[in-house]
Amino acid sequence: MRIGVAHETLYSYDPPASGVIQILRLTPRNHAGQYVLNWRVDVSHDYRLDQHEDAFGNITHSFSAAGPLDSLSVRVEGAVETQETAGIVQGAVERFPPSLYLRESRLAAADPAITQFARECRAETGEARLTLLHGLSQRLHQTLVFDTDPTHAATSAAEAFRLGRGVCQDFSHIFIAACRQLGVPARYVGGYLRRSDGAAQSAGHAWAEAHVPDLGWVAFDPTNGISATEGYVRVAVGLDYLDAAPVRGSRFGGGSETLAVRVTVDQAQWQAQD
């Protein structure tokens, strides 16, 4: 499948900011089942983008902008060729052994309720790891309610689980926290999902990868209760959202900040150009 992505983030500052520093994790890498055909990152002002790799092997771009700034936009656009792999991730950059992803992290820490949930799931599915992970993903999909209102970027897995609702980031953090409690290495993945209707989205997508002996890393999307398909574009990984956030940075001076995001992930647009 050929997938086209357009992702624009617009910041507005009132009064103007005196400066900003941004780190972007918005560029996918090649691996088995995913090949980047073309990709570019643009900012609204003529600033130099410095490309690096972070500790997890994610491609990052950083820039600083001097003010006064009343607005700033960051736009990425490109095309990625994907193939169905049944969620199995091979050929990706791996900087750490799977055991690192057993480490508790700020947003994906289990509380007693998540621990009990994970143990109950294991009791239902048995110890076979792949069956356990599919069962955990399905159970979270059926138990939690997708709701964009009550949570935010800094909401922890425990907080979202108590609410019983959240967005894809929250579903993924809970899945990761539960996996780690069961001794299964798991990590956060940020990227894009091609929706069947091709409609504009207000954010990218998040899911998780868990390590399975003899298979390696396998992608699970508890928000939708499935393994990742060819409709997923994998961009960044980490222990939780804080390691894989698409945009992170600091603003200096100014007053209020408003943020608008528009994401379009569409297959047909790019196929029509062949």
Side-chain angles (χ1 to χ4, degrees):
M1 179 184 294
R2 183 169 293 183
I3 299 176
V5 176
H7 179 175
E8 184 171 28
T9 305
L10 175 64
Y11 297 89
S12 299
Y13 309 107
D14 184 20
S18 58
V20 298
I21 297 174
Q22 298 278 13
I23 298 177
L24 314 177
R25 291 178 178 84
L26 290 166
T27 302
R29 303 194 73 145
N30 297 333
H31 58 79
Q34 176 172 297
Y35 178 72
V36 182
L37 299 172
N38 57 74
W39 199 267
R40 63 177 294 159
V41 181
D42 291 309
V43 295
S44 56
H45 297 73
D46 187 19
Y47 303 125
R48 187 182 74 180
L49 287 172
D50 294 318
Q51 181 172 320
H52 303 281
E53 292 184 7
D54 67 12
F56 295 95
N58 302 315
I59 296 175
T60 68
H61 291 88
S62 61
F63 70 93
S64 59
L69 293 169
D70 57 9
S71 66
L72 174 69
S73 70
V74 177
R75 180 178 176 84
V76 298
E77 189 169 12
V80 180
E81 192 80 42
T82 63
Q83 295 179 338
E84 180 61 53
T85 65
I88 299 172
V89 179
Q90 295 181 330
V93 174
E94 298 291 352
R95 296 286 177 78
F96 302 109
S99 58
L100 175 88
Y101 297 97
L102 289 169
R103 183 181 300 175
E104 184 177 277
S105 58
R106 177 180 167 187
L107 298 182
D111 65 355
I114 292 177
T115 300
Q116 181 63 26
F117 179 87
R119 291 173 177 171
E120 289 173 356
C121 186
R122 181 172 59 188
E124 291 177 1
T125 65
E127 296 285 347
R129 183 166 293 187
L130 193 59
T131 303
L132 168 62
L133 293 169
H134 280 295
L136 181 60
S137 177
Q138 277 287 333
R139 193 173 181 199
L140 282 173
H141 171 66
Q142 295 165 0
T143 300
L144 303 178
V145 176
F146 186 87
D147 187 346
T148 60
D149 287 335
T151 62
H152 49 80
T155 300
S156 69
E159 291 168 337
F161 193 70
R162 283 195 295 271
L163 290 169
R165 57 189 60 235
V167 295
C168 55
Q169 173 181 312
D170 305 302
F171 280 72
S172 301
H173 282 152
I174 296 168
F175 179 88
I176 293 165
C179 284
R180 292 173 182 167
Q181 282 298 301
L182 297 174
V184 179
R187 62 191 181 192
Y188 183 95
V189 186
Y192 301 101
L193 170 61
R194 179 191 171 270
R195 291 173 39 159
S196 58
D197 57 10
Q201 305 170 38
S202 59
H205 193 55
W207 58 98
E209 291 172 358
H211 197 265
V212 179
D214 300 324
L215 288 179
W217 290 101
V218 181
F220 294 89
D221 181 1
T223 306
N224 293 300
I226 60 174
S227 286
T229 68
E230 63 180 354
Y232 289 68
V233 176
R234 182 181 185 270
V235 176
V237 303
L239 290 169
D240 59 27
Y241 168 80
L242 296 176
D243 296 323
V247 182
R248 292 191 71 184
S250 300
R251 167 176 55 91
F252 306 101
S256 63
E257 175 184 294
T258 58
L259 174 67
V261 179
R262 179 182 174 87
V263 178
T264 302
V265 185
D266 183 23
Q267 177 188 7
Q269 175 184 354
W270 289 95
Q271 286 187 330
Q273 296 176 4
D274 289 343

